[in-house]
């Protein structure tokens, strides 16, 4: 297993390098990542390269058995480049170039930048291709910088549209330019749709896709060189979990595997079930349907101006185990030692400013030792989830451009289902709308706002063939170009779901003066009281059975939640957002019962369960995210791999405790 820390030899005197390398080896580390921000150190003047310092650092690391990933260092352009080629800096909406010095400030249609990126990539690849402890590459760093609004981006946008639509008539049709007299007579008339709240939603959607594609192309230019010069090396990139400015499926396509950067303690004052980091891990695994690495793992308090809370004893370890439980095969902490200079002086590494190996270092070392011992068993295993959630960047973008109801937000909606599945102890895969759904017993399609006919037809076939599908409000409103389908919703899913959405409305933001809610009442355990917030569809069941409706007088004819037996499967439809978490637990329980999915362990609150399987092994991870001891009912007579003890039927997990059962 690849374990280690992100290291910046260029930040420290050379006399210290040997100490760092020794301490890494003593911690059980075997891998580092180097040089993602070192462009100016490697090319101090245009076309003059200085690789000697990195050769020496690599040699020092090699002496202690430490391997390295190198990065294409393009996440921060040298000052000389910005000065000589000012067009390499992105242009803001206000017509001003970004001020150099905060990294991630590039215009990806700048020819000067693209050439410079290819030159440093090729020079590094040629120079380090045979260095024995270089094992692979990370492209750039966390793609997803600013959107650029310069003339060159505008011209490339026009070209991109020309390639996509072929004929101007086709673009005029796809964007619906008959509205507001927006018809284009030449490609050159097309402007950047700068105002996502005012410009044509179809144009805004294509502009977002174009921005994503520019990043993918910038990476692809580097990947092509690395593949050619260093065919023996792997190539990855450090993604940002649920970040959604780029289509991560596309960005992942050219890579061998995905890595991601995990900072779960930044947003939370207290330890808590880390459903966000869990769902991010599941998405990262889903991008290429294979295991991933953590390229930057939380090592201490983080922050640029104000730092966050510290990890409590055991928490750094439990954060790492959560990711391994969900498919991480590499664990690199960010960063090795806290830097004494620059904007990230307060972004803490395993070592403080003083360079001593204290508590956090020791906890990482303990984790590294345990993971190396587990590695032979982890080999060949991954998560094989019975449940899929469709994660669709087009829908995420289209909802942001035009939310419809107030407060409509993909991630909040998806999280309600995800968290209920997490509490139920069931693993989830994230999939594209066009993926094969056959492996899944149940599929959830939250906010599938953009619904091309082929996807709707595939979902229909899925349900007919025995699948259990859940869709919810505003499903299938638009086609792939962002035009509203001229049909009664849910359109081509009407048969599978057995409802007709006759009308719909926004309920406003709960708590705001104009906001209101409806009372939801259901049968049996769905009796409530539950509260419909944000959106309510006036949905008339056709063949579906209403499981819950609205108590308000004018809403009584309509259903809030329906279940439709269709073919050999079942289609659920939820036409509102329900405030109470318990509603989602009950809904998920029904879905899982229909789908015949039963978790191995139902965890107590605050405990996470995840199953890795393969190569004839099944490893069940249990992680206590609370600071109280937790008793978990587990199968008896199984080997707990961290203590080497057999389970008795109840397992005690201390604060931030972790267990791995071989089932
Ligand atoms: C990441 C980034 C690192 C470092 C870290 C802390 O997003 O890749 O370079 O900046 O955040 O801010």
């Amino acid at each position: 297993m690849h374990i280690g820390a992100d290291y910046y030899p260029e930040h420290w005197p050379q006399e210290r390098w040997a100490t760092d390398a020794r301490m890494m080896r003593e911690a059980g580390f075997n891998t580092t990542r180097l040089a993602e921000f070192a462009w100016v150190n490697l090319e101090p003047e245009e076309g003059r390269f200085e690789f000697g310092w990195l050769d020496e650092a690599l040699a020092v690391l090699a002496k202690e058995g430490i391997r390295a990933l190198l990065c294409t260092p393009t996440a921060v352009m040298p000052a000389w480049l910005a000065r000589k080629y000012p067009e390499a800096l992105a242009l803001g909406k206000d017509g001003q170039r970004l001020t150099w010095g905060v990294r991630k400030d590039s215009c990806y249609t700048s020819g000067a930048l693209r050439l410079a990126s290819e030159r440093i990539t090729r020079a590094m690849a040629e120079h380090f291709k045979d260095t024995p402890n270089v094992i692979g590459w990370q492209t750039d760093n966390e793609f997803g910088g600013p959107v650029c609004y310069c003339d060159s981006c505008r011209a490339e946008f026009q070209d991109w549209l020309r390639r996509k639509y072929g004929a101007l008539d086709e673009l005029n049709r796809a964007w619906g330019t008959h509205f507001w007299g927006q018809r284009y007579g030449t490609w050159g008339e097309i402007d950047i749709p700068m105002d996502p709240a005012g410009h044509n939603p179809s144009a805004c959607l294509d502009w977002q896709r174009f921005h994503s594609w520019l990043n993918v192309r910038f990476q692809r230019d580097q990947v092509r060189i690395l593949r050619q010069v260093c065919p023996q090396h792997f190539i990855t990139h450090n993604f940002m979990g649920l970040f959604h400015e780029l289509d991560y499926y596309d960005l992942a396509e050219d890579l061998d595997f995905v890595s991601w950067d995990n900072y779960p303690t930044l947003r939370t004052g207290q330890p808590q079930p880390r459903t966000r980091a869990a769902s991010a891990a599941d998405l990262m695994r889903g991008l290429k349907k294979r295991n991933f690495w953590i390229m930057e793992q939380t090592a201490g308090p983080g922050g640029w101006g104000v730092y966050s809370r510290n990890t409590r004893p055991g928490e750094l370890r439990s954060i790492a185990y959560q990711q391994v439980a969900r498919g991480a095969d590499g664990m690199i902490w960010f960063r090795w030692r806290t830097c004494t200079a620059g904007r990230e002086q307060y972004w803490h590494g395993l070592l403080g400013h003083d360079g001593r190996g204290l508590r956090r270092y020791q906890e990482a070392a303990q984790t590294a030792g345990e993971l190396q011992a587990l590695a032979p068993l982890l080999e060949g295993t991954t998560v094989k989830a019975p449940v899929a959630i469709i994660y669709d960047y087009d829908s995420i973008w289209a909802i942001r451009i035009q939310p419809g109801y107030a407060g409509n937000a993909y991630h909040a909606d998806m999280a309600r289902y995800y968290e209920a599945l997490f509490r139920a102890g069931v693993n989830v895969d994230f999939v594209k709308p066009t993926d094969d759904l056959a492996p899944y017993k149940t599929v959830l399609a939250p906010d599938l706002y953009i619904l091309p006919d082929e996807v709707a037809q595939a979902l229909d076939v899925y349900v007919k063939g025995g699948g259990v599908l859940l869709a919810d409000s505003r499903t299938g409103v638009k086609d792939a170009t962002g035009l509203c389908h001229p049909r009664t919703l849910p359109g081509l899913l009407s048969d599978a779901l057995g409802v007709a959405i006759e009308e719909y409305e926004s309920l406003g933001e709960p708590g705001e003066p104009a906001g209101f809610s409806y009372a939801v009442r259901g049968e049996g355990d769905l009796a409530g009281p539950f509260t419909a917030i944000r959106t309510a569809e006036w949905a008339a069941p056709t063949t579906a059975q209403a499981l819950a409706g609205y108590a308000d007088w004018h809403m009584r004819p309509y259903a809030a939640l329906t279940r439709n037996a269709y073919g050999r499967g079942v289609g659920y439809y939820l036409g509102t957002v329900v405030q109470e978490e318990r509603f989602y637990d009950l809904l998920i329980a029904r879905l899982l019962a229909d789908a015949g999915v039963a978790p191995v362990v139902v965890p107590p609150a605050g405990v996470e369960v995840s199953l890795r399987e393969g190569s004839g092994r099944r490893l069940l991870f249990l992680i206590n995210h609370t600071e109280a001891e937790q008793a978990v009912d587990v199968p008896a007579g199984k080997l707990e791999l961290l203590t080497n003890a057999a389970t008795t039927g109840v397992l005690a997990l201390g604060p931030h405790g972790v267990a791995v059962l071989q089932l």
Side-chain angles (χ1 to χ4, degrees):
M1 199 162 173
H2 294 94
I3 304 179
D6 299 300
Y7 185 48
Y8 300 88
E10 70 274 25
H11 294 179
W12 305 102
Q14 196 164 346
E15 307 84 78
R16 170 72 192 198
W17 294 356
T19 307
D20 287 332
R22 174 180 51 76
M23 287 175 72
M24 287 183 197
R25 196 240 317 133
E26 286 169 358
F29 291 2
N30 56 20
T31 308
T32 55
R33 179 195 65 177
L34 302 171
E36 77 275 23
F37 302 121
W39 194 346
V40 76
N41 308 66
L42 299 163
E43 189 181 1
E45 284 171 49
E46 184 164 16
R48 182 168 71 75
F49 301 106
E50 279 186 7
F51 295 132
W53 66 272
L54 192 47
D55 287 333
E56 286 171 42
L58 283 162
V60 170
L61 291 161
K63 265 196 200 131
E64 301 289 354
I66 314 281
R67 300 180 288 248
L69 279 97
L70 298 181
C71 304
T72 57
T74 43
V76 66
M77 69 179 83
W80 59 255
L81 200 154
R83 179 61 59 174
K84 195 164 173 187
Y85 307 105
E87 73 276 18
L89 289 168
L91 192 78
K93 274 189 188 174
D94 57 0
Q96 299 291 314
R97 297 262 165 218
L98 297 192
T99 310
W100 179 87
V102 198
R103 73 176 178 178
K104 294 172 86 156
D105 44 16
S106 306
C107 164
Y108 286 143
T109 68
S110 153
L113 180 76
R114 293 182 64 201
L115 275 176
S117 155
E118 292 189 8
R119 183 174 52 210
I120 184 67
T121 301
R122 184 172 295 281
M124 283 184 79
E126 297 281 3
H127 184 87
F128 294 105
K129 64 177 191 288
D130 298 321
T131 305
N133 61 331
V134 171
I135 53 173
W137 297 84
Q138 173 188 299
T139 55
D140 202 276
N141 189 74
E142 292 187 343
F143 278 114
V147 180
C148 178
Y149 298 91
C150 74
D151 285 346
S152 149
C153 285
R154 175 169 172 264
E156 281 236 27
F157 181 46
Q158 292 165 354
D159 273 353
W160 182 86
L161 291 168
R162 198 196 325 249
R163 285 197 301 277
K164 173 166 178 173
Y165 291 107
L168 205 52
D169 281 352
E170 191 45 35
L171 175 132
N172 278 316
R173 191 207 56 77
W175 284 11
T177 57
H178 50 285
F179 183 76
W180 275 356
Q182 290 179 341
R183 195 178 66 232
Y184 298 102
T186 66
W187 295 99
E189 288 167 10
I190 300 171
D191 249 323
I192 296 174
M194 291 228 191
D195 174 11
H199 275 123
N200 182 324
S202 298
C204 294
L205 184 57
D206 267 340
W207 171 248
Q208 183 75 40
R209 288 169 172 149
F210 169 72
H211 169 67
S212 177
W213 173 81
L214 280 183
N215 282 263
V216 172
R217 181 182 68 172
F218 188 79
Q219 172 176 264
R220 185 166 296 158
D221 290 342
Q222 297 187 347
V223 167
R224 201 176 292 129
I225 294 167
L226 295 171
R227 294 257 181 250
Q228 185 199 357
V229 182
C230 308
Q232 75 283 20
H233 290 159
F234 64 73
I235 306 174
T236 185
H237 174 72
N238 56 335
F239 291 69
M240 293 183 277
L242 302 181
F243 174 84
H244 50 270
E245 293 304 318
L246 308 181
D247 185 323
Y248 268 0
Y249 297 113
D250 291 347
L251 195 66
E253 205 174 295
D254 292 322
L255 304 172
D256 293 302
F257 59 88
V258 163
S259 305
W260 82 281
D261 299 345
N262 183 35
Y263 295 107
T265 57
L266 290 185
R267 288 183 192 78
T268 61
Q270 294 294 323
Q272 61 164 16
R274 298 184 195 289
T275 49
R276 194 180 161 87
S279 60
D282 291 337
L283 177 63
M284 297 298 97
R285 194 182 63 250
L287 296 180
K288 290 192 80 73
K289 299 193 185 304
R290 60 176 298 188
N291 288 354
F292 56 90
W293 283 28
I294 299 295
M295 196 57 85
E296 297 183 16
Q297 180 63 289
T298 301
W304 278 17
V306 173
Y307 44 81
S308 69
R309 73 173 178 84
N310 201 357
T311 51
R312 312 274 160 94
E315 196 177 6
L316 184 144
R317 173 174 174 261
S318 67
I319 288 171
Y321 269 97
Q322 174 183 52
Q323 296 300 315
V324 175
R326 294 182 179 274
D329 282 344
M331 187 62 59
I332 312 291
W333 277 279
F334 183 88
R335 46 191 284 152
W336 172 245
R337 179 172 173 184
T338 316
C339 194
T340 57
R343 189 30 84 181
E344 294 195 352
Q345 285 164 317
Y346 293 154
W347 205 289
H348 293 80
L350 293 174
L351 278 50
H353 290 129
D354 62 7
R356 294 168 67 207
L358 303 179
R359 183 186 66 94
R360 297 198 303 265
Y361 165 83
Q362 284 155 17
E363 197 170 308
Q366 178 198 342
T367 310
E370 291 171 357
L371 292 178
Q372 291 301 8
L374 282 178
L377 293 171
L378 290 171
E379 181 77 41
T381 68
T382 188
V383 173
K384 295 186 179 159
V387 178
I389 292 181
I390 295 180
Y391 190 91
D392 177 33
Y393 289 96
D394 276 349
S395 291
I396 291 170
W397 295 337
I399 288 171
R400 191 175 51 182
I401 291 162
Q402 199 176 33
Y405 66 83
N408 188 8
Y410 176 84
H411 288 92
D413 291 338
M414 177 273 281
R416 291 187 186 89
Y417 305 112
Y418 184 89
E419 288 170 13
L421 287 157
F422 182 100
R423 291 190 289 271
V426 175
N427 277 112
V428 173
D429 274 351
F430 284 93
V431 298
K432 282 195 243 193
T434 48
D435 277 344
D436 177 18
L437 302 174
Y440 300 103
K441 297 200 167 147
T442 173
V443 171
L444 287 78
D447 288 359
L448 198 55
Y449 188 52
I450 297 273
L451 185 61
D453 287 354
E454 313 82 76
V455 174
Q457 279 147 4
L459 288 170
D460 179 90
V461 168
Y462 171 74
V463 181
K464 220 182 254 164
V468 177
L469 172 71
L470 177 131
D472 63 7
S473 50
R474 308 307 285 144
T475 288
V477 173
K478 297 190 177 194
D479 69 15
T481 68
L483 297 177
C484 288
H485 286 295
R487 301 169 178 142
T488 301
L489 295 178
L492 297 187
L493 289 178
S494 297
D495 290 346
L497 298 171
V499 285
I501 316 304
E502 297 182 348
E503 301 182 65
Y504 47 84
E505 63 180 325
S506 176
L507 310 187
E509 289 285 356
E512 282 190 358
F516 63 103
S517 61
Y518 291 134
V520 173
R521 295 284 175 275
E523 49 148 55
D525 57 2
L526 289 169
F530 297 114
T531 322
I533 56 169
R534 296 189 191 284
T535 176
E537 300 199 331
W538 300 24
T542 51
T543 54
Q545 175 201 359
L547 299 182
Y550 302 95
D552 301 71
W553 67 275
H554 63 294
M555 293 299 284
R556 279 186 208 141
Y558 304 110
L561 175 67
T562 55
R563 178 186 183 279
N564 189 44
Y566 179 64
R568 291 194 285 127
V570 179
Y572 281 86
Y573 191 78
L574 177 61
T576 183
V577 172
V578 178
Q579 191 162 335
E580 293 79 13
E581 205 173 83
R582 188 174 141 67
F583 181 88
Y584 290 89
D585 288 334
L586 297 169
L587 170 57
I588 290 298
R590 283 173 182 245
L591 239 72
L592 296 178
D594 273 331
V597 174
V600 184
V601 163
V602 180
V607 173
E608 175 173 352
V609 182
S610 182
L611 184 64
R612 272 181 77 149
E613 51 192 313
S615 302
R617 289 184 294 280
R618 298 176 79 219
L619 306 177
L620 187 75
F621 288 75
L622 300 157
I623 302 156
N624 179 6
H625 291 294
T626 75
E627 299 197 334
E629 182 164 310
Q630 301 281 353
V632 190
D633 291 327
V634 296
K638 303 292 175 194
L639 186 62
E640 198 288 306
L641 295 164
L642 301 176
T643 54
N644 244 333
T647 54
T648 57
V650 178
L651 189 89
L653 287 174
H656 295 295
V658 173
V660 186
L661 307 191
Q662 182 152 14
L663 297 181

